[in-house]
Amino acid sequence: MRPAGQAPPRVLTVAGSDSGGGAGIQADLKTMLALGVHGMSVITAVTAQNSLGVQGAWELPVEAVRAQYRSVVDDIGVQAVKTGMLASAELVEAVAELVSGTDAPVVVDPVGVSKHGDPLLAASALDSVRTRLLPVATVATPNLDEVAQLTGSQVASEADLRPAAEAVLVYGPQWVLIKGGHLTGEAVDLLTDGDQEFWLRAPRHDNRHTHGTGCTLASAIASGLAKGLAVPEAVTAAKEYVTGAIARGFALGTGIGPVDHGWRFR
């Protein structure tokens, strides 16, 4: 238990807003609260979004993103940073510069498309993600679609996860977590730094309501790192948390509902 009046570890999310509350900034802050850290935010874009998809997206000016970041980091400080939707090359480069000057681990979720297939990153920004953002990542957490976007590597089976991880590590992150959730069978992910390998397995739950899984997992990893866990321990704990959240995902609207960020409290 933390002594009364003592601040918990602080985690900053740099990401887009999801008006439906299932992903993005909203999912990040819910995850951080559930895992006992103080969540703070830098909003990079605003989306009009619901269970059916993304109806519109508007990125914020670089100056607004930079001002939010400096306001939080220079006064409050952070023990970990998580990045999500960055939308444009200009925002990717600005955020990469900001996090590279911050003495805290960085979890990069290289968001490319929404759960419904809506593009959330301009094609022109991919090179900036490769050359500016991934090199400053403590952990990068691409899903299989994002691996294909960034490296051209296609993952069709568990055997393809290792070469996919190697292709991402070329760009310089300390660790990469290749998320195999889009494969069939067990939900298997591969965490590696190029030398050590950790295969993370969980049962696959028959639940279509999985909106926000990537944001939730990356935020859970950042929360663990902020508490002082080593990367393998932080990722293992995050996998357990998000697996429970997926199992209890619930229907909202008429499309794909969110995972349950508060499942441990219910």
Side-chain angles (χ1 to χ4, degrees):
M1 293 291 291
R2 189 179 70 256
Q6 179 179 317
R10 289 145 287 165
V11 182
L12 178 62
T13 170
V14 184
S17 168
D18 171 5
S19 55
I25 289 283
Q26 288 81 355
D28 297 339
L29 295 177
K30 292 174 187 178
T31 299
M32 293 168 191
L33 178 64
L35 297 179
V37 301
H38 177 67
M40 305 169 291
S41 64
V42 171
I43 297 176
T44 60
V46 175
T47 70
Q49 189 171 167
N50 56 26
S51 69
L52 299 174
V54 179
Q55 291 77 45
W58 301 266
E59 65 186 74
L60 269 67
V62 169
E63 295 78 8
V65 171
R66 187 177 287 116
Q68 292 175 80
Y69 190 96
R70 290 264 60 95
S71 180
V72 170
V73 172
D74 293 348
D75 174 49
I76 300 172
V78 295
Q79 275 76 55
V81 179
K82 176 259 178 182
T83 72
M85 176 187 177
L86 300 181
S88 68
E90 292 77 14
L91 284 176
V92 170
E93 291 170 11
V95 170
E97 179 184 357
L98 289 165
V99 299
S100 68
T102 303
D103 185 19
V106 180
V107 180
V108 170
D109 183 15
V111 175
V113 296
S114 75
K115 175 69 67 178
H116 303 85
D118 304 293
L120 298 176
L121 181 71
S124 58
L126 285 171
D127 194 54
S128 296
V129 173
R130 296 182 192 104
T131 62
R132 299 292 299 277
L133 191 60
L134 288 178
V136 300
T138 307
V139 188
T141 64
N143 64 28
L144 303 188
D145 291 334
E146 290 154 358
V147 168
Q149 273 189 314
L150 291 167
T151 72
S153 298
Q154 301 294 327
V155 178
S157 68
E158 185 177 317
D160 298 325
L161 293 176
R162 182 178 289 118
E166 292 169 353
V168 177
L169 285 170
V170 165
Y171 294 110
Q174 295 177 34
W175 292 82
V176 62
L177 176 68
I178 304 294
K179 299 179 294 191
H182 293 173
L183 298 174
T184 57
E186 268 189 318
V188 57
D189 307 325
L190 172 60
L191 173 69
T192 180
D193 63 356
D195 294 319
Q196 306 171 77
E197 280 188 359
F198 299 88
W199 293 85
L200 307 173
R201 301 178 184 277
R204 184 174 299 277
H205 296 285
D206 184 19
N207 186 352
R208 65 189 293 260
H209 301 300
T210 56
H211 185 49
T213 50
C215 306
T216 300
L217 180 63
S219 293
I221 295 169
S223 298
L225 295 176
K227 295 176 182 177
L229 297 180
V231 169
E233 287 71 30
V235 172
T236 300
K239 172 85 168 179
E240 179 186 0
Y241 169 73
V242 79
T243 299
I246 290 169
R248 293 161 180 82
F250 52 88
L252 279 183
T254 56
I256 299 173
V259 301
D260 185 358
H261 297 95
W263 66 272
R264 285 179 172 163
F265 308 134
R266 303 191 203 285

